[in-house]
Amino acid sequence: MKLLKFLLRYFPPGLALEYTQGGDVKTKMIDLLDLSAETDIRALAESIKASEPVITESVMEQLVETLQKLQAKVCDTNAKRYYKYKTLQTHLLPLTNIAFDKLGKRCLTGSYDRTCKVWDIDSGAELLTLEGHKNVVYTVSFNNPASDKIVTGSFDKTARIWCSRTGHCLLTMWGHNAEVVAAKFSPNHSKIATGSLDMTSKIFQLSTGTELGTLRGHTAEIIALHFNNDGNQIITGSFDGTVSIWDVRTFSRTSVLIGHRSELSNCVYNFDCSLIASSSMDKTAKVWDTRMNSCLATLRRHDDEVLDLTFDNNGKKLATASSDATARVWDVSADFRQLASMEGHREEVSKVCFSPNSQHLLTSSLDRTSRLWSLESGYCVQTLDGHTDDVFNCAFSYNGDTIITASKDNTCMIWR
C-alpha cells in the first residue's frame, strides 16, 4: 500500500486517505466528529498513524498540517456578518421550497406556478426553468455531491428527474394517487424514494424510472422521508403521528415508532443514522434509537406546535422550531438537556438549520425575518430583514459562506 494524498471533509469533520493497493486506487474515510479547538492535533495524528498502516513517519508532518487546517476551519467561532447580495425575483406564484447544490454555486426554487428554476448564486441569473409539471412543484433537490441531476415532486402526483445542465426532463415517475410532497435520491444515486398524501411511499429505479416497490402501512398522509447512509433503509413521517422504518430491498416495514399524540411535521436521521428525531403538532420532539427502535427522550419545552427540526452536521445537537416563536437547541449526545433557547422572533418559527461548523443557528419566521443565533450564548447576532411577507425557508451553503432565504413575497434573498 502507498499513500497518495490526504483529502479533507470539513463538515462534518473527517480525513480521507487516498492510497494504492494492488494497482487499485482506494479511499478510506476517517470521521473526526469530536474534533474541537482543544484537540491535541499531534496526539490525534499519532493515534491515526497507529491504526492506519498506510501512514508512515515520512508523512507525519504533512498529516499534522492537514489536521491543523481542518481544526482551524471547523472550530472558527467568529460570527460572520452576512450582507444582502442578490434578490431573486423568482416566480409568478408563491415559492414552495429551496435547495443548494453541493458547491453552493446554484440553487433550486419550486413554486405554485408549476415550475422549478435553477439559479446562479454568484450572478443571481436564472439558468434554467424546468417546465412540464401540471400542478404545484412542491419538493426539489439536487443529487449531491454530483449535482448533475434534479428531482422534483409535484401535486400532479408525479416526480420528475431533470438534467441540471440542460434542463431536459429525463424521466417521469408515475403511480401515486395524490400529491407527491417528498422525493429523495438514494446515497448511491441508483434509486428515488417518493412520499405522497396517498399514504404511501414508492421506490423507483433512477436509470429507467421503473417502480420497484410501494411502501404501504401509514394510515394518513406521508410528509417526510429520508434514506439512511447506505441506502438500504428509509424512514417516513406521517400525519398518523408515527415514523415508519422500511427495508428498501424487500419494501417491507421493519418498525414503527409510536408515541406522538398528533401529526408529525418532520423526521430526520443524524449523521451516522444512529438516531432519528421527530417533531409533532403535540408540542414535543422525540429522539429515537435506531438499533432498539425505542424512544430515548421526549423534548417538551415548547409551548406550541413543533414545526421543524434538524441535527447539526456532527449529529450531536438537535434544533427545534415552534409556533411559540422560539427555536431551541438540545444536546442529543448524552443527557438531552436544553442547551439554548432562541427568543426574539415575533411570530412562529417555521424553519431551523445549523451553520456547517455547528457554531450558529439560522431561523426563518412569519415575522418576515430570518435570524442568526450564537449557539454559545443563545443571542441573536444578526437579523436578516428585507422580505415583505413570511419567510418560510432558509438554508446554508455547504461551506457556510452563503445563506438563502425564501419568502411568500415570491422572492429569495442571497446573503454572502
Side-chain angles (χ1 to χ4, degrees), residues 378-395:
Y379 293 143
C380 177
V381 295
Q382 188 178 359
T383 299
L384 309 180
D385 53 18
H387 284 294
T388 58
D389 206 337
D390 304 349
V391 182
F392 66 89
N393 209 336
C394 55

Side-chain angles (χ1 to χ4, degrees), residues 91 108-110 114-118 128-130 137 140 150 152:
H91 292 268
L108 302 174
T109 54
R114 307 180 180 188
T115 71
C116 170
K117 290 180 184 282
V118 185
L128 297 167
T129 298
L130 311 183
V137 175
V140 296
I150 294 163
T152 54

Side-chain angles (χ1 to χ4, degrees), residues 4 28 67 166 179 206 226 231 236 239 267 348 389-390 401:
L4 297 176
K28 179 175 182 180
L67 292 173
T166 66
E179 295 91 331
L206 181 54
H226 295 279
T236 53
F239 280 170
C267 62
E348 75 174 34
D389 206 337
D390 304 349
D401 64 1

Side-chain angles (χ1 to χ4, degrees), residues 60-341:
M60 280 299 287
E61 286 308 310
Q62 184 186 350
L63 175 58
V64 169
E65 290 175 12
T66 302
L67 292 173
Q68 287 171 338
K69 180 180 178 183
L70 181 63
Q71 184 183 44
K73 177 79 170 179
V74 170
C75 304
D76 177 13
T77 59
N78 294 324
K80 295 183 175 72
R81 296 287 299 180
Y82 291 83
Y83 66 95
K84 194 184 301 178
Y85 179 69
K86 298 279 184 185
T87 299
L88 308 181
Q89 302 292 336
T90 51
H91 292 268
L92 299 173
L93 294 174
L95 297 163
T96 56
N97 227 317
I98 55 174
F100 272 110
D101 72 354
K102 177 67 173 182
L103 296 177
K105 297 295 185 185
R106 293 174 295 165
C107 73
L108 302 174
T109 54
S111 171
Y112 278 83
D113 69 9
R114 307 180 180 188
T115 71
C116 170
K117 290 180 184 282
V118 185
W119 303 86
D120 181 273
I121 293 295
D122 288 335
S123 68
E126 179 185 318
L127 299 175
L128 297 167
T129 298
L130 311 183
E131 297 180 286
H133 280 297
K134 308 300 183 192
N135 208 326
V136 176
V137 175
Y138 190 75
T139 181
V140 296
S141 66
F142 284 101
N143 63 330
N144 292 332
S147 306
D148 62 342
K149 293 184 178 67
I150 294 163
V151 64
T152 54
S154 170
F155 285 7
D156 68 9
K157 309 176 187 178
T158 72
R160 291 184 179 229
I161 304 296
W162 313 77
C163 173
S164 74
R165 302 298 172 190
T166 66
H168 289 134
C169 181
L170 305 175
L171 292 167
T172 301
M173 290 163 285
W174 307 82
H176 282 294
N177 298 318
E179 295 91 331
V180 176
V181 296
K184 294 286 171 64
F185 289 97
S186 66
N188 66 1
H189 303 156
S190 65
K191 298 181 178 71
I192 292 285
T194 55
S196 170
L197 301 189
D198 66 9
M199 303 185 286
T200 72
S201 181
K202 290 181 181 287
I203 309 295
F204 295 90
Q205 188 73 44
L206 181 54
S207 57
T208 62
T210 304
E211 182 184 318
L212 300 175
T214 299
L215 313 182
R216 290 186 172 88
H218 281 297
T219 57
E221 296 91 332
I222 291 172
I223 48 84
L225 65 82
H226 295 279
F227 279 95
N228 70 348
N229 289 338
D230 60 15
N232 61 20
Q233 280 188 340
I234 68 167
I235 55 171
T236 53
S238 168
F239 280 170
D240 66 14
T242 70
V243 178
S244 288
I245 303 173
W246 310 83
D247 188 314
V248 173
R249 297 158 298 190
T250 62
F251 312 111
S252 59
R253 184 159 63 174
T254 59
S255 187
V256 186
L257 308 181
I258 299 172
H260 283 294
R261 299 189 306 276
S262 189
E263 297 97 330
L264 293 194
S265 56
N266 203 358
C267 62
V268 288
Y269 279 112
N270 71 338
F271 169 70
D272 64 6
C273 297
S274 61
L275 300 175
I276 294 167
S278 55
S279 54
S280 170
M281 302 304 172
D282 67 8
K283 306 181 187 179
T284 74
K286 290 180 180 285
V287 182
W288 312 81
D289 183 311
T290 57
R291 289 156 298 211
M292 304 299 292
N293 298 321
S294 58
C295 182
L296 297 175
T298 300
L299 312 178
R300 301 183 185 277
R301 294 283 189 90
H302 284 294
D303 298 324
D304 208 336
E305 298 167 341
V306 182
L307 301 175
D308 188 39
L309 82 174
T310 187
F311 285 103
D312 74 342
N313 266 328
N314 295 353
K316 296 175 182 291
K317 298 186 185 82
L318 181 74
T320 52
S322 172
S323 294
D324 67 10
T326 72
R328 296 172 190 266
V329 177
W330 314 80
D331 175 11
V332 294
S333 65
D335 54 7
F336 303 99
R337 75 187 189 281
Q338 180 178 296
L339 298 175
S341 176

Side-chain angles (χ1 to χ4, degrees), residues 27-81:
T27 304
K28 179 175 182 180
M29 194 73 214
I30 302 170
D31 292 330
L32 301 171
L33 304 184
D34 295 322
L35 185 68
S36 71
E38 289 74 42
T39 300
D40 183 329
I41 292 299
R42 197 159 289 277
L44 176 59
E46 289 291 347
S47 69
I48 294 173
K49 177 176 179 283
S51 59
E52 302 296 338
V54 74
I55 297 178
T56 60
E57 192 62 39
S58 63
V59 299
M60 280 299 287
E61 286 308 310
Q62 184 186 350
L63 175 58
V64 169
E65 290 175 12
T66 302
L67 292 173
Q68 287 171 338
K69 180 180 178 183
L70 181 63
Q71 184 183 44
K73 177 79 170 179
V74 170
C75 304
D76 177 13
T77 59
N78 294 324
K80 295 183 175 72
R81 296 287 299 180

